[in-house]
Amino acid sequence: MGIRIGNGAVFKFGTAGAETTVGEVISISGPNFERGSVDTTNLGTTSARTFVAGMFDPGEITLELNFDNNDAGQVLLEAAVASGAESGWVIEFAQLTAESDTLSFSGTCIVQSFSNNIAMDEAETASVTLKVVKAITTDADAS
């Protein structure tokens, strides 16, 4: 597998298995995987603190969008903030031009925020934060 560029990547959101493509995506950050640690140090420990792996946190996804209130995917994201319902998401990475491999991440999330950004002489944008609430599925096909 080679190095990918972001052009051509797609973000989908909505009912799991039938997600809607979100239009006007500028950038996708995450999911940012994290595993905590649990301190197991006790009074008998003499040289250094001891730790074991804690629970896995599948993290968050942040989207930057050119705001389009007519885009079906953006409408779903905005409505999901109010509903608090769990929804499916998919990130389809751009396919390599010299190879025929595909890569995607998918899972379940709640939308934590949808924030419009308005500035003089700039495109109106929106920032969206999604909390991944279950394990992430990776689908890779290195043909």
Side-chain angles (χ1 to χ4, degrees), residues 3 21 25 42 45 50 61 66-67 78 88 90 98 105 118 130 132:
I3 297 172
T21 298
V25 177
N42 61 62
T45 306
T50 57
I61 299 169
N66 284 321
F67 179 68
E78 198 167 7
V90 178
F105 289 161
I118 303 167
L130 304 100
V132 180

Side-chain angles (χ1 to χ4, degrees), residues 16-98:
E19 294 88 355
T20 300
T21 298
V22 176
E24 296 292 329
V25 177
I26 300 168
S27 68
I28 304 168
S29 298
N32 52 339
F33 312 124
E34 182 178 316
R35 180 174 300 280
S37 59
V38 177
D39 189 339
T40 58
T41 309
N42 61 62
L43 293 175
T45 306
T46 58
S47 61
R49 289 188 170 277
T50 57
F51 297 87
V52 296
M55 295 292 291
F56 177 76
D57 180 350
E60 295 179 346
I61 299 169
T62 303
L63 305 174
E64 294 297 324
L65 314 169
N66 284 321
F67 179 68
D68 179 356
N69 63 321
N70 293 314
D71 179 79
Q74 291 190 29
V75 170
L76 287 171
L77 285 166
E78 198 167 7
V81 176
S83 76
E86 292 184 1
S87 298
W89 61 271
V90 178
I91 298 173
E92 295 176 352
F93 291 79
Q95 187 169 334
L96 295 171
T97 55

Side-chain angles (χ1 to χ4, degrees), residues 4-12 19-21 28 89-95 101-106 139:
R4 297 174 188 274
I5 60 171
N7 297 31
V10 174
F11 187 84
K12 297 180 179 181
E19 294 88 355
T20 300
T21 298
I28 304 168
W89 61 271
V90 178
I91 298 173
E92 295 176 352
F93 291 79
Q95 187 169 334
D101 70 335
T102 59
L103 175 64
S104 66
F105 289 161
S106 60
D139 181 21

